[in-house]
Amino acid sequence: MKYIEKLHYITHDIPNFSHLGQVQLACEAGAKWIQYRCLSKADDELLEDINSIAEICDDWGTTLIVTNHIHLNGKADIQGFHIEDMGADFIALRKLVGNDITLGGSANTVENLIRLAKEGADYAGFGPFAVSKTKPNNYPVIALEDYKKAIEELNKLEINLPILAVGGITLYDVEALMQTGIYGIAVAGAVNSADDFIQAYQDFYEAVKG
């Protein structure tokens, strides 16, 4: 099984706050897993971003995951991809990128999680936990009790897939979420919008690891 960090930081398109700037601050804060999520640029701009971000991640020993854009595999120093399409064929994706590349997927139901595990995903982002301004969608939110039930169901099936809660999570939610048995947390808005980015990230890290 590949190593999966317990706290995933996700970049986003933010006015006057570049993805590069977000990554630099996250790495300074101690981030060891960054998901570059940019859905607004053409391939040449994406690669320019990714190459610069990869240099920062290399300097800090940070894993770089790219959201979607799996066609860019092999064109930059990318360690993995997170695929948001819940209907994506992970068996085909795995054949496409090989076994060394990390593949994560998004899920909103236990059935989604089971399929991801069976098709070879390395981890799953399970949410949304709450309404998210960062990534609006129409999927139903997942309550704490539902996270707990999902983990119990996976354990019964002896499925060992790291599950990360995602979507509108605040620092105050972390302790209760981790008590459900999930593996970790993915965070974006609560850090990006904080008055002190670095302190906010470190507070999340301590809460997740605690």
Side-chain angles (χ1 to χ4, degrees), residues 44-111:
D44 56 342
E45 295 175 298
L46 287 170
L47 286 171
E48 183 177 352
D49 250 8
I50 292 168
N51 282 322
S52 297
I53 287 169
E55 288 184 11
I56 297 174
C57 288
D58 286 346
D59 287 343
W60 289 88
T62 301
T63 297
L64 174 59
I65 304 293
V66 171
T67 305
N68 302 333
H69 305 309
I70 202 164
H71 62 287
L72 298 180
N73 184 47
K75 297 183 179 181
D77 187 11
I78 301 168
Q79 282 81 58
F81 294 89
H82 182 92
I83 307 302
E84 295 183 330
D85 179 5
M86 294 186 196
D89 182 345
F90 271 71
I91 294 175
L93 292 176
R94 177 59 71 195
K95 289 180 180 178
L96 180 66
V97 301
N99 291 324
D100 292 338
I101 292 292
T102 298
L103 280 179
S106 295
N108 181 251
T109 66
V110 175
E111 289 74 22

Side-chain angles (χ1 to χ4, degrees), residues 9-10 12 132 134 169 187-194:
Y9 169 71
I10 307 173
H12 279 83
S132 171
T134 306
I169 297 169
V187 65
V191 171
N192 291 335
S193 63

Side-chain angles (χ1 to χ4, degrees), residues 145-190:
E145 187 62 26
D146 294 325
Y147 277 97
K148 184 177 179 180
K149 289 178 180 177
I151 298 303
E152 289 174 348
E153 183 66 24
L154 294 179
N155 287 340
K156 286 179 183 177
L157 297 171
E158 297 184 348
I159 290 175
N160 187 19
L161 178 71
I163 307 298
L164 293 100
V166 61
I169 297 169
T170 70
L171 180 62
Y172 306 103
D173 300 317
V174 175
E175 182 177 0
L177 277 166
M178 293 303 292
Q179 288 176 352
T180 66
I182 61 169
Y183 181 83
I185 300 287
V187 65

Side-chain angles (χ1 to χ4, degrees), residues 18-53:
S18 69
H19 289 268
L20 191 64
Q22 293 170 51
V23 169
Q24 181 65 49
L25 281 177
C27 286
E28 289 178 11
K32 292 303 177 186
W33 189 287
I34 287 175
Q35 185 185 143
Y36 169 74
R37 185 179 188 272
C38 180
L39 309 179
S40 63
K41 297 181 179 181
D43 283 1
D44 56 342
E45 295 175 298
L46 287 170
L47 286 171
E48 183 177 352
D49 250 8
I50 292 168
N51 282 322
S52 297
I53 287 169

